[in-house]
């Protein structure tokens, strides 16, 4: 059973997260041969670096078909399980590497998920049980990471054990294709009828709240309604379920012209060499998130959770976050 689980986790069904119709479309924006497009456009985008498993067995990852991008590591006997909001999935590999260098007893024994915080909260409610495609497994978290407001809310509900530990902040940006063919220059442009958008669904992703705040700052309630109501109804706004994967993918597929994301996500895509750029949102119109974490009540490994929470705000961890544009929370 363990061998089967490891195999399925290593290569499962991306279609469950992204949707058959989305992945079936032909990639036109990149202009590369099909084989090269599959490797460079479809997640995961870190070529196995975000997998802490030491013994990986058979390698079986097929872009577009079997590809479990937001589940990382080995479930056989983890010593630390982290539920991490997906907004910094790309930072987890170097963070885990640095943590294990300081704490070698955790080498190859860390499992983490990088789904949107709202979905992770639902998984906690389900006792850590989750189904992706044809596979169901249970892994109870030791610590949970999301926006400070969400973490405090779950502490008040008795789901998490306080206090909340803030560590970094992040600002919004407008992610666009390289060369920005639709000439999106501001949040106000997102309300134009011809601009196709990908934007987070408020039901699943907390970033939608900050995006709505930014839209209202830039263009009042009318702009927020245009993006999140009128354009949803007419089909020019696509609501995402997992925006840190879907928004850049949809942009590279040529399905949308823009999407508001966290600045760090755009910076990662650019550093990865993908045909993506971003438009800076002025401070007056922007919204800032404070990321925080806390141990889960009745965590299987409470000492490990405490050790990670100490590490995540250390100078070493903050230096890793800074590579992607995050700022220390204490400076906010």
């Amino acid at each position: 059973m363990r061998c089967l689980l490891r195999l399925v986790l290593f290569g499962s069904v991306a279609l469950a997260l992204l949707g058959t119709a989305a992945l079936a479309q032909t990639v036109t924006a990149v202009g590369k041969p099909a084989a090269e497009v599959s490797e460079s456009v479809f997640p995961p985008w870190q070529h196995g670096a975000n997998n802490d498993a030491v013994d990986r067995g058979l390698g079986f990852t097929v872009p577009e078909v079997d590809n479990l991008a937001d589940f990382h590591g080995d479930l056989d006997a983890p010593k630390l399980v982290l539920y991490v909001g997906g907004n910094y999935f790309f930072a987890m590999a170097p963070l885990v590497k640095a943590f294990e260098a300081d704490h070698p007893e955790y080498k190859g024994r860390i499992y983490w998920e990088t789904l949107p915080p709202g979905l992770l909260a639902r998984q906690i409610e389900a006792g850590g049980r989750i189904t992706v495609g044809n596979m169901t497994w249970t892994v109870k978290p030791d610590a949970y990471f999301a926006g400070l407001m969400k973490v405090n809310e779950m502490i008040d509900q008795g789901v998490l054990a306080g206090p909340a530990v803030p560590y970094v902040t992040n600002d919004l940006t407008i992610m666009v294709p390289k060369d920005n063919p639709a000439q999106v220059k501001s949040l106000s442009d997102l309300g134009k009828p011809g601009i196709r958008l990908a934007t987070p669904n408020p039901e699943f992703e907390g970033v939608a709240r900050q995006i709505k705040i930014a839209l209202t700052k830039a263009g009042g309630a009318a702009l927020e309604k245009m993006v999140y109501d009128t354009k949803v109804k007419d089909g020019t706004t696509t609501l995402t379920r997992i925006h840190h994967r879907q928004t850049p993918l949809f942009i590279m597929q040529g399905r949308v012209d823009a999407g508001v994301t966290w600045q760090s996500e755009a910076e990662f895509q650019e550093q990865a060499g993908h045909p993506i750029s971003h438009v800076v949102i002025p401070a007056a119109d922007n919204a800032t998130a404070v990321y925080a974490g806390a141990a889960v009540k009745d965590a299987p490994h409470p000492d490990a959770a405490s050790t990670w929470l100490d590490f995540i705000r250390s100078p070493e961890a903050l230096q890793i976050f800074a590579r992607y544009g995050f700022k220390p929370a204490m400076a906010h």
Side-chain angles (χ1 to χ4, degrees), residues 295-311:
V296 177
K297 186 178 180 181
D298 300 324
H301 313 100
D303 292 341
S306 179
T307 302
W308 180 270
L309 286 164
D310 287 340
F311 165 76

Side-chain angles (χ1 to χ4, degrees), residues 84-86 114-121 144 204-206 241-244:
V84 179
T114 51
L115 297 176
L119 295 178
L120 292 173
Y144 172 89
F204 305 110
E205 306 195 77
R241 187 168 184 174
I242 182 165
H243 92 276
H244 61 274

Side-chain angles (χ1 to χ4, degrees), residues 209-271:
R209 181 180 64 84
Q210 282 95 341
I211 292 174
K212 288 185 174 186
I213 291 171
L215 290 169
T216 302
K217 286 181 181 180
L223 180 60
E224 189 270 332
K225 182 178 181 181
M226 177 63 70
V227 169
Y228 265 99
D229 183 16
T230 305
K231 298 187 71 167
V232 171
K233 291 176 180 176
D234 70 22
T236 52
T237 287
T238 300
L239 293 180
T240 65
R241 187 168 184 174
I242 182 165
H243 92 276
H244 61 274
R245 298 291 183 185
Q246 288 175 300
T247 297
L249 177 60
F250 291 172
I251 286 174
M252 288 187 282
Q253 286 179 309
R255 297 184 61 196
V256 301
D257 302 305
V260 179
T261 68
W262 293 115
Q263 176 182 328
S264 57
E265 294 167 25
E267 291 197 18
F268 164 73
Q269 294 293 337
E270 293 167 18
Q271 290 175 24

Side-chain angles (χ1 to χ4, degrees), residues 270-292:
E270 293 167 18
Q271 290 175 24
H274 291 163
I276 280 178
S277 186
H278 70 281
V279 176
V280 174
I281 299 173
D285 295 336
N286 216 317
T288 299
V290 179
Y291 292 175

Side-chain angles (χ1 to χ4, degrees), residues 11 16 67-68 70 139 178 196 233 256 273 285:
N67 176 7
L68 201 61
D70 283 293
V139 56
K178 189 176 181 179
R196 301 166 301 160
K233 291 176 180 176
V256 301
D285 295 336

